Structure formats: C-alpha cells, structure tokens
Amino acid sequence: GAGVSQTPSNKVTEKGKYVELRCDPISGHTALYWYRQSLGQGPEFLIYFQGTGAADDSGLPNDRFFAVRPEGSVSTLKIQRTERGDSAVYLCASSLMAGVETQYFGPGTRLLVL
Amino acid sequence: AQSVTQPDIHITVSEGASLELRCNYSYGATPYLFWYVQSPGQGLQLLLKYFSGDTLVQGIKGFEAEFKRSQSSFNLRKPSVHWSDAAEYFCAGNNSGGSNYKLTFGKGTLLTVNP
C-alpha cells in the first residue's frame, strides 16, 4: 500500500516568508508525528497528533511554528517569518495508534531558507 | 535527560565483512529501542525494534541487535555486509511509560561499504 507522502520534496524560500509543508499519512493511521532533522543530526520530535488534536506540541521550537490536522488525516506544518536556522529536513511519520506502534516515515521535505 | 548516543559518526567496511554499529541509551527505565536506516532521498525505514523479552532481536535485511541492560547498549550487527547496505543508520528510543510515542534519535552513523 501507499506509504507516508510529503509535499513538496524541496522548498526554497526567503527569510521572513511563510511556508506550508504537507503530510499525507498512511490510510487508517490515527497518530501522526512531525520531526525536524538538521544537518548532521538525528531527527528531533516536534509535534504529535492523535486524531485531529495536537496531543503533544512540546517540540515546536517557538510560536512561529504551528501544525494542523483538521480532518484527522492530512497534516500541514506551518512556519511563519522563516529564519535561516529553520533550514532542515522536516519529516512526517504516522502509526496505527500511538505508543508502541511502529512509526512509518515519509521521505521528508527539505527546506532551505535563504 | 533521556538520550541516545551513537559514538561512531562514520564507519567504513569492506563488502562481505561483518558490521557492528554502536548505540548507548540513557533512560530512567528500560526504553523501547529501535534501529532505522535512511538512504539518500528515502524516508527512515525501520530495521528492528526491542520492547521486552528476548534480548536478541532479528530484523529485516539480515540485521540483528542485542539489548544489554548492564551496558545500556543496543548494538546493531550484520554478519556480512552488502554494498546496498551503505546508508545512514539511526538508533532511537522512547519511554516505555508515558510519552512513549516520542522517539529520541541518536545523531546517526554513516556506513560506507568498499567493494
């Protein structure tokens, strides 16, 4: 079956601009996660959704970052007033449920802020 | 604080040689532990996972890992490496209790395979 998909695969933007990154989870997966992977680092947790609600957004670095999942499926990560330090690969994952279920990762969106 | 450490940033092995990638963890209780592989342009793929029970875990692509509580380690092994194994490998853990959805990753080990 189809895996987790993310669009766009690459995004180049200018400092100060607004960007949206989209994630389509595996059909039927109720849990969805966003991670950020900076160069030379492992992925770092940003936010976790159970259904439509953000159950844990403790990893979001500041209030410029926001994510939604209005219908419990597709999620959008939104970054306002982008900064050069936001440049990274943004990974989305989904799992059947939260907890011990395996998280399946998408290919990521590579964001470059000039 | 909870952490996962991969001491080796880059490892080079010859094709056909054995492989061991190191992973150490620091958690209050025994965590759930995972190994993921990331190839260029690909998402992270789960190789294997440990929750409890048998400390030797078998995974896909001929990989295995051994959980050693006394050493706080979860090293990944493969008896004979293939050129297609060249990739970046990440060890990850999460709490076996609350917030057990939140994976903490090591910085990764880049594996190069020489012909």
Side-chain angles (χ1 to χ4, degrees), chain A residues 37 56 58 99-100 102-103, chain B residues 36 49 51 90 100-102:
Chain A
Q37 186 175 16
D56 183 347
S58 62
V100 303
T102 297
Q103 295 184 24
Chain B
Y36 281 86
K49 58 189 177 185
F51 290 158
F90 291 92
N100 58 4
Y101 47 82
K102 188 185 299 188

Side-chain angles (χ1 to χ4, degrees), chain A residues 38-56:
Chain A
S38 301
L39 196 62
Q41 304 294 316
E44 294 178 310
F45 172 83
L46 295 177
I47 187 170
Y48 151 60
F49 286 90
Q50 181 57 50
T52 61
D56 183 347

Side-chain angles (χ1 to χ4, degrees), chain A residues 59-72:
Chain A
L60 295 178
N62 51 59
D63 61 5
R64 293 187 298 105
F65 288 74
F66 188 71
V68 296
R69 194 186 185 199
E71 298 179 357

Side-chain angles (χ1 to χ4, degrees), chain B residues 17-57:
Chain B
S18 64
L19 172 70
E20 183 168 28
L21 301 181
R22 296 186 290 164
C23 173
N24 294 100
Y25 66 87
S26 175
Y27 279 81
T30 300
Y32 299 142
L33 294 164
F34 308 80
W35 275 100
Y36 281 86
V37 61
Q38 187 176 42
S39 300
Q42 304 294 315
L44 290 158
Q45 182 182 22
L46 181 69
L47 290 174
L48 47 78
K49 58 189 177 185
Y50 172 77
F51 290 158
S52 64
D54 194 345
T55 57
L56 185 63
V57 181

